[in-house]
Amino acid sequence: MKNAEGGVRLSHALQVVKGFKPDEIVEIPAIGLETKRLVCFTEGFCRYYAGIKGSQKPCEWVYFSTETLQLLQRYAGRSINRSVVTRYAKKHRLLAPKMMRKVSWRIMVQAMPREIARFIQSRFGELRISEARYEDLLSEADIHYPKYLEKLRELVYS
């Protein structure tokens, strides 16, 4: 998955690929929302509820373009080793996967408010949010994410 599109950590992206269940209905207790795990928008992007918690760093939502969704659907259910991805990037002189999150952050804060960028990248340690604010951030992220994708495409293809 192109983790620059949402700044998702490589480990979380690989977990999403392995456990991809787009039609599953999930309940997000923090806001009392029941939704399909995968929600796609007409603006050309989707958000997927990863709901990763526990001993590792959390990852609530993963945002990505509909182009990335096609890749995700092709590889869904596969277990991909993180070191294989890292070696592939190194061998082909690509930016290291761990650096993609940082690059994504720098572009994201140019296209949207920092608080929303923190929410999209699951930087919850940097956020102090109530239940009401969580729902606001989710809807604001849905509004601002297309602006980020536009900025990302502008930088990549210019």
Side-chain angles (χ1 to χ4, degrees), residues 125-136:
E126 300 170 29
L127 281 172
R128 299 286 179 251
I129 53 177
S130 64
E131 287 180 21
R133 187 64 187 131
Y134 185 101
E135 194 164 8
D136 288 345

Side-chain angles (χ1 to χ4, degrees), residues 78-114:
R78 295 188 187 177
S79 183
I80 303 166
N81 186 306
R82 137 186 221 131
S83 61
V84 170
V85 175
T86 303
R87 280 195 312 266
Y88 179 89
K90 188 174 184 176
K91 178 180 177 184
H92 291 84
R93 302 176 128 202
L94 301 171
L95 191 60
K98 67 180 181 179
M99 297 305 294
M100 294 302 293
R101 182 170 166 85
K102 293 175 184 182
V103 169
S104 174
W105 173 257
R106 289 185 178 157
I107 298 167
M108 203 173 274
V109 295
Q110 293 175 28
M112 67 180 70
R114 285 179 181 268

Side-chain angles (χ1 to χ4, degrees), residues 140-158:
E140 289 177 44
D142 294 345
I143 291 167
H144 287 282
Y145 188 74
K147 298 172 193 170
Y148 162 70
L149 275 182
E150 185 178 316
K151 180 75 174 170
L152 182 62
R153 287 181 180 124
E154 174 189 314
L155 291 169
V156 170
Y157 297 113
S158 63

Side-chain angles (χ1 to χ4, degrees), residues 38-47 63 66 138 142-143 146:
L38 177 69
V39 177
C40 292
F41 298 83
T42 56
E43 293 86 355
F45 76 97
C46 303
R47 70 169 139 82
Y63 280 77
T66 51
L138 183 60
D142 294 345
I143 291 167

